[in-house]
């Protein structure tokens, strides 16, 4: 759909009018701050798009298509607001939101791992292998591997072939750098992180959905435990 959002103020004014209106009337509306000629051009565009209709010589009125477009924009605005509010919860200042994110991950990621095991192509498996090995290499070199950990989990979600699940995880893990906090919390358990990643990898390689699901569940349960321990030993973060 073509983006007509820049015309939304004009559409809303026409929606709230008592009847058909024309450019000569609309030019006096302080909310528009446009010349009569500019308003006239915009009315013509909106009429051509099917959002307005001419009512004899009285002016233009909103069509059902125009009303539907306003509702469409409002719905998407609300969804964006909700997404931003959700993202704002993933803050490192308080462990509780991180635990809640992990609860959601426990609902989503075991399923993603099981479906990735079912759907993974040879190319997908090579990509996951590379991420697992690079993650292990960086940890063994004493480096932070936050991004590698993030990319691994998001790659598994992508291979799952469920775009909604993938986007939800992207939102949960990337906003406010929540994935960094999860990696930092498990920093003292690097060997265990590596172990679980390789277990998940092996199950996906073998197209073993049940073991992929169990390996991801075990991994995330230990991440939850690590987060609890991390905040109990670092009260300055609370």
């Amino acid at each position: 759909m073509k983006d007509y959002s820049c015309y939304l103020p004009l559409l809303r004014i026409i929606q709230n009018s008592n009847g058909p209106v024309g450019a000569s009337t609309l030019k006096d509306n302080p909310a528009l701050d446009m010349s009569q000629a500019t308003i006239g051009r915009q009315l013509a565009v909106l009429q051509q798009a099917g959002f307005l209709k001419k009512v004899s010589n009285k002016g233009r009125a909103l069509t059902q298509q125009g009303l539907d477009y306003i509702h469409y924009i409002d719905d998407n605005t609300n969804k964006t607001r909700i997404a931003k509010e959700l993202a704002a919860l993933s803050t490192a200042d308080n462990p509780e939101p991180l635990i809640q994110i992990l609860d959601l991950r426990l609902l989503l990621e075991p399923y993603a791992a099981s479906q990735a095991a079912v759907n993974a192509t040879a190319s997908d498996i090579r990509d996951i292998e590379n991420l697992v090995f690079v993650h292990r290499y960086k940890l063994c070199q004493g480096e932070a591997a936050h991004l590698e950990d993030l990319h691994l989990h998001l790659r598994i979600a992508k291979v799952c072939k469920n775009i909604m699940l993938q986007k939800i995880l992207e939102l949960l893990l990337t906003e406010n750098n929540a994935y960094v906090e999860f990696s930092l919390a498990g920093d003292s358990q690097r060997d265990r992180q590596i172990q679980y990643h390789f277990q998940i990898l092996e199950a996906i390689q073998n197209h073993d959905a049940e073991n992929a699901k169990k390996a991801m569940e075990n991994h995330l349960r230990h991440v939850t435990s690590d987060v609890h321990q991390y905040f109990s030993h670092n009260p300055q973060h609370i």
Side-chain angles (χ1 to χ4, degrees), residues 50-108:
F51 297 158
L52 299 177
K53 62 182 178 182
K54 256 191 175 181
V55 182
S56 64
N57 62 346
K58 297 178 182 178
R60 290 177 175 91
L62 201 65
T63 64
Q64 185 60 48
Q65 186 179 343
L67 185 62
D68 289 344
Y69 182 73
I70 293 172
H71 290 160
Y72 167 79
I73 294 293
D74 287 344
D75 286 345
N76 279 277
T77 300
N78 285 333
K79 289 172 186 175
T80 301
R81 175 184 56 77
I82 292 168
K84 287 180 178 179
E85 288 174 358
L86 175 62
L89 292 174
S90 56
T91 170
D93 294 333
N94 184 343
E96 191 57 34
L98 294 175
I99 299 299
Q100 291 174 0
I101 290 172
L102 282 165
D103 288 342
L104 288 174
R105 291 181 67 186
L106 266 166
L107 291 173
L108 299 174

Side-chain angles (χ1 to χ4, degrees), residues 144-192:
H146 310 322
L147 278 175
E148 288 71 24
D149 187 41
L150 171 68
H151 291 159
L152 171 61
H153 283 268
L154 292 183
R155 182 63 189 176
I156 291 170
K158 184 176 182 179
V159 174
C160 161
K161 311 298 185 191
N162 186 318
I163 190 67
M164 292 298 292
L165 186 152
Q166 179 190 347
K167 294 302 178 184
I168 289 170
L169 282 177
E170 285 181 11
L171 178 67
L172 290 174
L173 290 173
T174 58
E175 288 296 330
N176 294 320
N177 294 328
Y179 71 95
V180 175
E181 292 301 312
F182 294 135
S183 293
L184 287 173
D187 200 47
S188 62
Q189 303 291 337
R190 292 186 169 198
D191 290 343
R192 193 169 65 189

